Amino acid sequence: MHPKKSSGYDNISVETLKLAIIHIADPLSLIINASFSFGIVPNDLKVAKVCPIFKSGDRSQFNNYRPISILPSFSKIFEKLVCKRLMDYLSKFEILCDNQYGFRRKYDTSMAVVDMVDKISSAMDSNKFSNGLFIDLSKAFDTLNHKILINKLSHYGIRGVALSWFTSYLTDRYQ
């Protein structure tokens, strides 16, 4: 994790965690393993501190700021571990299509551009037309229906305690 000085509502930064890791690694691993074993995310890890971040323009205008949610640093550790497990599962069973470029190791959004240019060039060489549809999904998670996500996870084989963990993670969140 990047040694950021920002912290969630608990005021514990990643930088502080790194300094204390030798003292907290064993109890933290017990808590994380219990969370994964029982499918429950501790409520304290679901509290976000919301801060306004300046985008551009006049700083006195409310609309020129966007809210960001800062979770506790411990929550970020849980997220990294569950992300690794989920990505290993998705890779093992080849669930993600080859055109899923974002948020994947060895894939990059610039590869999407290269792929698109290649397809346009091929179409032009064959005297065919090509169309492109570009959608900004930067705020997709903010508008995602959690019930639909849980159903999709179940559809792709995430069941039992693992599904309970994701359900726990997505419910009873606070700001």
Side-chain angles (χ1 to χ4, degrees):
M1 292 176 26
H2 299 292
K4 296 180 180 177
K5 293 184 181 181
S6 61
S7 60
Y9 85 100
D10 60 0
N11 291 321
I12 300 172
S13 68
V14 170
E15 185 177 65
T16 302
L17 282 182
K18 284 188 170 191
L19 292 172
I21 196 64
I22 194 163
H23 304 289
I24 64 171
D26 288 338
L28 182 59
S29 68
L30 290 173
I31 294 167
I32 291 169
N33 286 330
S35 173
F36 289 165
S37 294
F38 295 107
I40 299 170
V41 177
N43 284 334
D44 285 348
L45 300 181
K46 299 190 273 185
V47 180
K49 178 171 75 174
V50 180
C51 299
I53 299 296
F54 178 68
K55 293 186 296 186
S56 64
D58 183 356
R59 288 187 180 271
S60 67
Q61 295 298 312
F62 178 78
N63 291 339
N64 292 335
Y65 291 82
R66 67 177 173 87
I68 63 161
S69 297
I70 302 173
L71 291 171
S73 298
F74 288 107
S75 181
K76 295 172 190 171
I77 295 171
F78 277 71
E79 288 176 0
K80 284 192 176 289
L81 291 170
V82 81
C83 179
K84 169 84 170 91
R85 288 180 175 200
L86 181 60
M87 292 307 291
D88 287 349
Y89 175 84
L90 295 174
S91 295
K92 178 180 177 181
F93 293 102
E94 299 178 350
I95 294 173
L96 297 178
C97 69
D98 289 337
N99 295 329
Q100 171 65 47
Y101 293 104
F103 308 106
R104 289 178 70 185
R105 174 177 274 153
K106 297 182 183 176
Y107 283 75
D108 188 295
T109 51
S110 64
M111 292 175 68
V113 174
V114 170
D115 187 38
M116 181 191 64
V117 168
D118 182 52
K119 287 179 179 168
I120 291 171
S121 296
S122 295
M124 289 174 65
D125 291 344
S126 302
N127 287 327
K128 295 181 180 177
F129 294 99
S130 56
N131 292 319
L133 175 64
F134 304 93
I135 303 170
D136 179 7
L137 298 176
S138 61
K139 295 181 183 176
F141 188 78
D142 297 339
T143 60
L144 182 66
N145 182 310
H146 292 169
K147 287 182 182 179
I148 293 172
L149 176 59
I150 293 300
N151 287 335
K152 285 286 187 182
L153 289 170
S154 177
H155 173 78
Y156 287 110
I158 309 295
R159 296 193 182 94
V161 176
L163 188 63
S164 294
W165 191 93
F166 282 104
T167 302
S168 175
Y169 178 81
L170 293 170
T171 56
D172 299 324
R173 301 190 72 79
Y174 301 95
Q175 296 180 347

